[in-house]
Amino acid sequence: MSPDFAHAAFSMDDFTSVAVTEQQISDKLDQIAAQIREDYEGKEVLLVGVLKGAVMVMADLARRLPPSVEMDWMAVSSYGSGTKSSGVVRILKDLDADLTGRHVLIVEDIIDTGMTLSWLLGNLRSRGAESVEVAALLRKPDAVQVEISVRYVGFDIPSDFVVGYGLDWAEKYRTLPFVAVLKPSVYSED
Ligand code: XMP
Ligand code: MG
C-alpha cells in the first residue's frame, strides 16, 4: 500500500459540506439500537439490508443489537427514467431467509422518493412475515409524498446528492466515515 493511499483515503475538496459527521452517526445509532432493543424485547429480529448502500449502517447497527439478530440481504434495481425512481422494482438478489412468522426490520441507507421502499414493504409483507418495519439512516424531503411508515429514522437531510457511509457516486465514496454533499463539479466533469 502506498503512503499516499494509506494517509489520504479521501480529499475534502470533493465535498461542499459534511451533512452528518461520524460522531453524529455513532450517537444516532446508539439511540436507534436502544429503541429497537426495547421495541423487540423477547423477539427475534431479522435485519434485511438493501445492497449496496446499507452495508455500513447494517454493520454498525447490527453490532449494537443482541447477538440473536440475523442479517439477510437483498439487491434491487428501480426501473426509471434517468436518476428518478419509478417504483417499478426488479429483484437482483433475493433473500435467503423464509420470512414466515418473522419480525423483519428493513435497514436502509437513504429514502429519497420512497418508491423503492414502498415496493419493498409490500413485497416482504406478502411473504407471511409477522411484522415488517423500516430503519433508515437518512431521509430526504420528497419521502413525505409517499405513504410509508418508517419506524426509525436517523436524520432528515436536504435534497442534495450525498455520498459516504455506504452511499456512492459511480461506486466511489462508499467508505467515507461520514455523509457529505458532493460538489457538483465532481459529477459534471468527465
Ligand atoms: P427512492 O426510491 O427512495 O430511492 O427514490 C432511494 C435510493 O436512491 C438512491 N439515492 C441516493 N444515493 N446519494 C446516493 O448515493 C443520494 O443522495 C441518494 N438519494 C437517493 C439510493 O440508492 C437509495 O437507496
Ligand atoms: Mg439504497
Side-chain angles (χ1 to χ4, degrees):
M1 186 186 285
S2 75
D4 275 357
F5 187 79
H7 296 290
F10 52 84
S11 158
M12 293 308 288
D13 293 347
D14 290 352
F15 318 119
T16 349
S17 61
V18 172
V20 189
T21 66
E22 189 173 4
Q23 188 62 51
Q24 285 173 318
I25 294 171
S26 175
D27 292 347
K28 188 66 79 174
L29 291 180
D30 284 345
Q31 285 170 26
I32 292 175
Q35 194 62 54
I36 292 170
R37 294 174 87 113
E38 194 181 311
D39 295 348
Y40 290 87
E41 175 91 65
K43 292 175 182 159
E44 292 204 342
V45 182
L46 174 66
L47 301 175
V48 168
V50 184
L51 294 169
K52 303 173 188 171
V55 287
M56 302 300 178
V57 58
M58 175 71 131
D60 287 342
L61 181 64
R63 281 180 289 187
R64 286 165 164 82
L65 295 173
S68 62
V69 295
E70 293 175 34
M71 291 189 283
D72 203 350
W73 301 92
M74 253 181 118
V76 298
S77 108
S78 299
Y79 285 118
S81 51
T83 54
K84 275 281 168 204
S85 290
S86 62
V88 182
V89 175
R90 189 162 57 108
I91 296 175
L92 302 176
K93 186 231 169 281
D94 207 348
L95 298 170
D96 296 326
D98 177 356
L99 301 190
T100 313
R102 302 297 308 263
H103 291 286
V104 175
L105 181 57
I106 300 173
V107 178
E108 261 287 28
D109 48 357
I110 189 165
I111 308 170
D112 188 353
T113 64
M115 289 177 103
T116 308
L117 195 55
S118 164
W119 177 89
L120 199 58
L121 274 167
N123 182 283
L124 299 191
R125 285 197 171 119
S126 74
R127 302 189 196 191
E130 176 78 23
S131 67
V132 184
E133 300 289 348
V134 181
L137 183 71
L138 305 166
R139 182 170 61 185
K140 287 186 176 182
D142 282 352
V144 296
Q145 289 168 15
V146 176
E147 272 293 308
I148 34 168
S149 70
V150 182
R151 190 143 174 197
Y152 312 96
V153 181
F155 303 92
D156 280 296
I157 58 164
S159 293
D160 309 308
F161 193 77
V162 289
V163 294
Y165 201 68
L167 293 160
D168 72 306
W169 174 74
E171 296 299 325
K172 302 284 190 285
Y173 303 108
R174 289 194 198 275
T175 54
L176 295 178
F178 50 79
V179 177
V181 179
L182 195 60
K183 260 189 196 158
S185 59
V186 174
Y187 48 85
S188 51
E189 78 191 21
D190 214 279

